[in-house]
Each structure stands twice: as structure tokens, then as C-alpha cells.
Amino acid sequence: MLSHQEKISFRQAVILFITLLYSPAIRFFPTQAAAEAKQAGWLTPLVSFVFLLLLVLVFHSFYKKHRDASWMDIICKITGKYLGSVILSAYIGWLVILLVLYTRYYAIRINTAIAPASDISFFIIVMLVLVAVVLRYGLVVFARMGEIIALLLLIGFALLFVFSTKNISIDNLTPISRLDILPVIKGSYYLAGLWAYFVVLFFFSDKIKYKEAIKNIGIKGAVFLTVMHILLSVMTIGSLGYSVTARSSLPFYMTVKNITVLRALDRIEALAVTQWIIADFILIIVFFYSILCIIKYLFKLSDTKFLIGILTILMYILSLYIAKSQFELEEFSVMVAIHLNILFGFIIPVLLLIAGKIRQQL
Amino acid sequence: MILFTVLVILVSAFEIMDLKSKGQRKDIAVYLGAVIVTLALGYLYLSNPNRESIAGFLTDMIGFHL
């Protein structure tokens, strides 16, 4: 029924959000949580949960009155046409940076994990061409792909967690005392920075039905994400210890590499790499689609499919241009990108909500 | 550089002909804007892939040095 209207449900949108978070979360979150909160790093999702809950409630307030509007409509309604266009252009810049950052991370990860002697350009081209092909079929197609991929990721992650339990040491996760409260709050900032991608779903919110369920499904999604991220940090910090986790660029991969099942089956890191690649695919396609939605709104276009080809070439160039090395890419993520996420994902929506309430437009 | 230019021209020619047949002038203008940005950034990068990266430029701008 919804596919005939080219619309997806809010549940499908939240599944897309959970799926797109998988890749940045396993790369970025355990390292930062261990660096900031040490052995208490596995508690950081509990604080980040409060941030996400706040964000869900902010968007619930936006869509109570403007159920069929897109995030772009709401921004322009609150701030006016010109300031709204400036904010939306800044959102394009943010999304382009994230898209090329994650495309480059995906290529480097394959290069590091399975094909060290290969040229990263090849992996970037394969991913971007695949994204361009699927984008032409529209939101409904990749939202359905997202549902299947989310299920595969969940089963894969559950298997990896169960297999890694014998490597998890309680000594690596304790002791916890009141002295850990501040480090845990500090560590939660990085995870909150990733969960700020929740805002991305609303760039195509005019194609999302059942937005009255934002609060209900959003809270369920937030609880699910909190549990998943606690398990992820228990798995990595519990297996490797906070010191190794904080110094490693791929702690999840190292944890999975240590897994041996029944002393017979090892090298199951292939499963982790496969999961990473398909999660990257969802991440890149959602960001690309959001960029197209903003361009469509700003230039009042009837369709944006004609832009997919040329923008794919542009993203390829920018993926190579974004950084010269993995070190530069990682430093950029910690020093710039995560703060941009907080700005665009939390601060701007909260400021818009306050402005909307003052101007009585919400 | 030549391969990049040929690729952009080929993709653009195909899309612009399609848009022209539908009489969508505004879409052609937006498309040409995207082509110009792509060519400019493409030439900038390909002329010297070792020049300062976007990450380096942005971190320098906010006062950090990588």
C-alpha cells in the first residue's frame, strides 16, 4: 500500500537509522568511550540515551502540528525563507562531509582488513556506483533493503557477541564508582554525536507516514540502541581492556579476530567485515538521498534523479580529497566532525524548537 | 585528468539531452552548476593529489594543525 505512494512508515525510517549507525558505532564509539571513561566506558550509552530521548521529544513537538511537512519546510517556516536557505545549505555541507568521510572510511577499512595491496579508488567506485543504481529506484526500495539488512546485522552481531563472551573479563569492566560519573558523561558526548544522525531521517519526512508514532517508536528505537551499544562496549572493552581499546583504530575487528568457536572455527572476522560493508551501504545511501531531498527543496525541482550521476562523480573526487591518510581522517572525525554532528543534530533542532515556540509556529 | 573530463562530459551530455527534450530549463541550470563544481574540484584535486586535504584545510581553519 505504502509502496504505491512512494512512502515508508516511521518504523522503517527508524530501522534505517539503527542500520546506518552500525558502522560508525563499531568504529568510533568503543575507542572514544574507553579513552574517556576507561573501564566504565560501557555505561556511556545510558547517558547518551537521555540526549536521544530529548531529540525524539523535540521532533515529536515539531511534527505534532506539521504532520505532512518536511524538515526543510519546518526550518523555513520558523526562520523565514532566506535564513532557512542558509541553514539548509549548511546542512548540505555537513551531509556531504559525512558522506565522503564514511565512503573513505569504508574503503580504508577494506584496505586494512582484507585487501592491503589494493587501490582504495576501486572500492570507492564500486560502492558509489551501487549507491547510484539503488538511489534511482527510490526510498521505498532501500528502506525495504534496510529492513532485511538490519535483521542480518542483528543476527550477525548476536552471534559475534555470544562467541566472544568467553573472552570477556569482568575485571576489564570494573570497578565502577562515583568517580566514574564525570568521565562517563564526557564519553557519552561522542556517542550522542553519532545518534545525532536521527535528524537526517526528517529530510525526507514528507515521504514518511505515521509520524504520530515519532514518540512511541522513537523511544523504542532509543532503548534498542542503548542496549546494543552497551553490549558492543562490553564486548570490546570487556575482551581487550580499556587501554588496548582506546589505542586501537578498529577495536571491534580485533575483538572478533580473537574469537575461536569450539577450538575449530576461527577467522570469523569475515562476518564482521561483511556486516560493515552492508551497513556502510545503507549509511551512504541515506546521506546521499537526504542531500538530494534538500537540493530538490532549495531549487524547487520536480525530480533529482538526473543529478545522481554527476553527484556520484563529485562524491568520488571528494572522497579522495577529504584526507591524505587514515590518521588525518581519524583526527578530523574527533576534532571537527563529531562537534558538527552535535551542532546540526542537537543544537540547531533545539534552537529551532525554542524559536518556533516563541514565534508561536509550533 | 583526461579520463575524468571525458566521463563528466559523457554523463552530462546524456542527462542534458534528456532534460532538454523535456524542456526543463531550471533543471538544466542546476545540473550545469553541479557540473561546474564537479569539474572545478576534480581539476583542483587531480592537478596535485598531494595538496592540502579538505580535512587539513578545515582543521587549520578552526586553529588545529594535523
Side-chain angles (χ1 to χ4, degrees):
Chain A
M1 178 74 179
L2 289 179
S3 65
H4 295 302
Q5 302 163 358
E6 282 297 313
K7 287 194 174 190
I8 61 170
S9 66
F10 190 70
R11 186 187 63 85
Q12 286 177 299
V14 170
I15 289 173
L16 274 180
F17 170 60
I18 291 169
T19 313
L20 72 84
L21 275 178
Y22 187 83
S23 169
I26 56 178
R27 177 185 56 76
F28 187 72
F29 158 64
T31 308
Q32 297 306 323
E36 295 291 345
K38 298 192 168 52
Q39 77 281 355
W42 59 280
L43 291 171
T44 55
L46 292 174
V47 182
S48 306
F49 172 76
V50 179
F51 281 94
L52 187 55
L53 197 63
L54 178 75
L55 201 57
V56 168
L57 296 177
V58 166
F59 277 95
H60 173 70
S61 301
F62 281 131
Y63 285 91
K64 249 192 312 196
K65 203 168 167 188
H66 307 284
R67 202 150 280 175
D68 294 321
S70 68
W71 179 226
M72 291 82 84
D73 286 323
I74 292 172
I75 289 175
C76 288
K77 206 166 264 180
I78 293 171
T79 61
K81 196 179 162 190
Y82 295 105
L83 184 59
S85 301
V86 173
I87 294 172
L88 288 175
S89 305
Y91 266 114
I92 291 183
W94 174 56
L95 288 170
V96 167
I97 287 175
L98 288 179
L99 195 156
V100 297
L101 193 76
Y102 286 119
T103 307
R104 182 66 178 268
Y105 265 127
Y106 138 82
I108 286 179
R109 194 178 301 139
I110 297 187
N111 199 242
T112 313
I114 50 175
S118 309
D119 184 359
I120 59 163
S121 303
F122 171 73
F123 302 121
I124 294 174
I125 291 169
V126 170
M127 175 59 86
L128 287 177
V129 167
L130 189 62
V131 165
V133 169
V134 177
L135 265 178
R136 287 188 177 268
Y137 290 97
L139 175 65
V140 176
V141 171
F142 69 78
R144 283 186 179 170
M145 284 176 80
E147 285 180 285
I148 297 164
I149 288 170
L151 186 66
L152 294 176
L153 292 181
L154 187 64
I155 294 168
F157 180 76
L159 282 175
L160 293 174
F161 183 80
V162 170
F163 291 153
S164 71
T165 44
K166 73 178 175 63
N167 297 333
I168 296 172
S169 164
I170 295 295
D171 291 343
N172 289 333
L173 302 167
T174 51
I176 306 292
S177 73
R178 64 182 171 79
L179 296 174
D180 294 310
I181 294 174
L182 271 179
V184 165
I185 292 172
K186 222 173 152 191
S188 68
Y189 177 82
Y190 296 95
L191 186 58
L194 296 181
W195 288 359
Y197 297 155
F198 187 65
V199 70
V200 173
L201 300 180
F202 295 93
F203 289 115
F204 45 88
S205 60
D206 52 332
K207 295 186 179 70
I208 298 176
K209 286 198 92 175
Y210 314 130
K211 284 196 281 292
E212 60 275 13
I214 286 179
K215 195 172 162 187
N216 185 15
I217 296 177
I219 291 172
K220 280 181 190 165
V223 171
F224 178 81
L225 274 174
T226 307
V227 173
M228 288 297 287
H229 284 81
I230 289 175
L231 293 180
L232 172 64
S233 45
V234 165
M235 188 176 162
T236 46
I237 300 172
S239 297
L240 304 173
Y242 75 83
S243 172
V244 176
T245 307
R247 285 177 175 83
S248 168
S249 59
L250 295 173
F252 181 74
Y253 185 69
M254 279 174 71
T255 308
V256 174
K257 268 193 126 173
N258 288 336
I259 293 174
T260 306
V261 184
L262 302 170
R263 294 186 187 173
L265 183 66
D266 55 6
R267 297 193 63 82
I268 56 171
E269 64 268 20
L271 177 62
V273 175
T274 312
Q275 284 186 312
W276 248 334
I277 296 169
I278 53 176
D280 278 325
F281 167 74
I282 291 294
L283 176 87
I284 294 167
I285 205 165
V286 170
F287 284 167
F288 207 139
Y289 188 75
S290 302
I291 293 167
L292 290 174
C293 288
I294 305 175
I295 293 174
K296 185 179 177 182
Y297 182 86
L298 278 178
F299 296 100
K300 307 271 179 282
L301 302 173
S302 54
D303 192 17
T304 47
K305 277 184 186 159
F306 66 93
L307 283 169
I308 292 172
I310 193 72
L311 289 184
T312 302
I313 299 173
L314 179 62
M315 296 310 153
Y316 167 71
I317 290 292
L318 291 176
S319 302
L320 295 172
Y321 200 179
I322 184 77
K324 281 191 276 195
S325 64
Q326 187 173 355
F327 167 76
E328 206 175 54
L329 209 59
E330 284 169 0
E331 288 299 300
F332 179 73
S333 289
V334 177
M335 291 199 303
V336 181
I338 202 75
H339 307 301
L340 287 178
N341 292 353
I342 295 288
L343 173 69
F344 285 102
F346 279 106
I347 297 174
I348 292 180
V350 170
L351 289 178
L352 286 172
L353 181 72
I354 295 166
K357 291 280 183 197
I358 291 169
R359 300 180 73 177
Q360 296 180 331
Q361 283 173 330
L362 292 173
Chain B
M1 192 88 88
I2 296 167
L3 188 68
F4 168 71
T5 313
V6 170
L7 183 68
V8 172
I9 290 171
L10 274 177
V11 173
S12 307
F14 173 76
E15 293 290 1
I16 288 172
M17 279 196 301
D18 188 42
L19 291 172
K20 212 174 170 183
S21 67
K22 292 174 189 164
Q24 292 169 315
R25 283 187 172 187
K26 193 165 72 179
D27 294 14
I28 294 174
V30 173
Y31 193 85
L32 287 176
V35 170
I36 290 167
V37 172
T38 306
L39 282 175
L41 285 169
Y43 286 137
L44 192 69
Y45 173 73
L46 294 171
S47 61
N48 179 12
N50 292 318
R51 76 169 70 241
E52 191 178 28
S53 64
I54 296 170
F57 173 74
L58 288 174
T59 43
D60 275 353
M61 210 169 72
I62 57 167
F64 292 107
H65 296 282
L66 292 177

